[in-house]
Amino acid sequence: LNGYNAEVKWGTLSDYFEAVHARVTKFDSLSGDFFVYSDVFSEGVPAYWSGYYSTRPFMKKLSRELESNLRSAEILFTWSLAVAQSMNNQGALKTLETSFGGLVKARRNLALFQHHDAITGTAKQFVTHDYAEKLFDGIIASRNLMKMSAQYLLMKDRNLVQKKFLQ
């Protein structure tokens, strides 16, 4: 790039690792014990936290599941809403628009979980249980919206849609 004294190249992941291995031949590793963060007797029992990636892995899996479902629901919802709008299908529009609240709730539940105490795993047990319920609720809401949107998109004659068919 002119003026920046830089050379830019496009490469693959293999190119990157080959370049790293060409520069570094020995990588450091950690062995033995190390002291983890401890919040001793926070809930009447010793509590140790060993980091973001290893604390409460089930909860992190739930959050990734909700993120995935949420993204799919957003895509299907947008697609079905666009189809209903192009056909001026008032029954479908009303049902889809009222169902949008579930998507908003799922987003809020995910955002709440990504608060530092939840995502790091340092929240108290009863709070973590509440987060889990909220994540499950978000997954159910997003899957219901996906089901409703897919049902509408797969109909042969979308003009026959009545509100009761999309519930």
Side-chain angles (χ1 to χ4, degrees):
L1 297 172
N2 292 338
Y4 292 102
N5 196 24
E7 181 181 339
V8 177
K9 292 182 179 180
W10 296 103
T12 65
L13 198 54
S14 296
D15 295 334
Y16 169 78
F17 282 110
E18 286 171 12
V20 168
H21 285 290
R23 291 182 182 173
V24 181
T25 57
K26 185 175 186 297
F27 293 91
D28 294 333
S29 65
L30 176 65
S31 62
D33 292 336
F34 63 98
F35 292 104
V36 296
Y37 169 80
S38 94
D39 189 7
V40 179
F41 299 107
S42 66
E43 295 177 7
V45 295
Y48 297 97
W49 175 60
S50 60
Y52 172 85
Y53 295 103
S54 59
T55 305
R56 302 193 195 269
F58 179 73
M59 295 297 290
K60 289 175 180 61
K61 170 67 174 134
L62 269 181
S63 74
R64 289 190 297 273
E65 187 77 21
L66 176 52
E67 284 177 297
S68 172
N69 281 283
L70 202 50
R71 180 65 180 140
S72 298
E74 289 168 344
I75 291 168
L76 280 171
F77 173 80
T78 303
W79 185 11
S80 60
L81 189 66
V83 169
Q85 285 173 337
S86 71
M87 297 177 67
N88 197 23
N89 191 327
Q90 293 302 314
L93 284 171
K94 187 164 185 78
T95 302
L96 289 167
E97 288 171 357
T98 57
S99 301
F100 185 72
L103 195 64
V104 172
K105 184 178 178 184
R107 286 179 186 150
R108 286 183 181 153
N109 289 348
L110 181 61
L112 177 66
F113 177 77
Q114 291 174 340
H115 176 269
H116 69 92
D117 269 354
I119 198 71
T120 59
T122 58
K124 295 186 182 297
Q125 185 59 40
F126 75 94
V127 176
T128 300
H129 180 77
D130 185 55
Y131 287 141
E133 286 181 357
K134 289 183 183 318
L135 290 174
F136 277 122
D137 288 347
I139 289 169
I140 290 167
S142 59
R143 285 184 179 173
N144 284 340
L145 188 59
M146 280 190 282
K147 180 177 68 174
M148 189 179 310
S149 299
Q151 178 182 352
Y152 177 67
L153 290 170
L154 292 171
M155 293 183 80
K156 288 186 180 191
D157 186 0
R158 294 187 190 113
N159 289 318
L160 299 176
V161 168
Q162 298 297 324
K163 186 176 179 180
K164 63 182 177 182
F165 292 134
L166 289 176
Q167 292 180 350

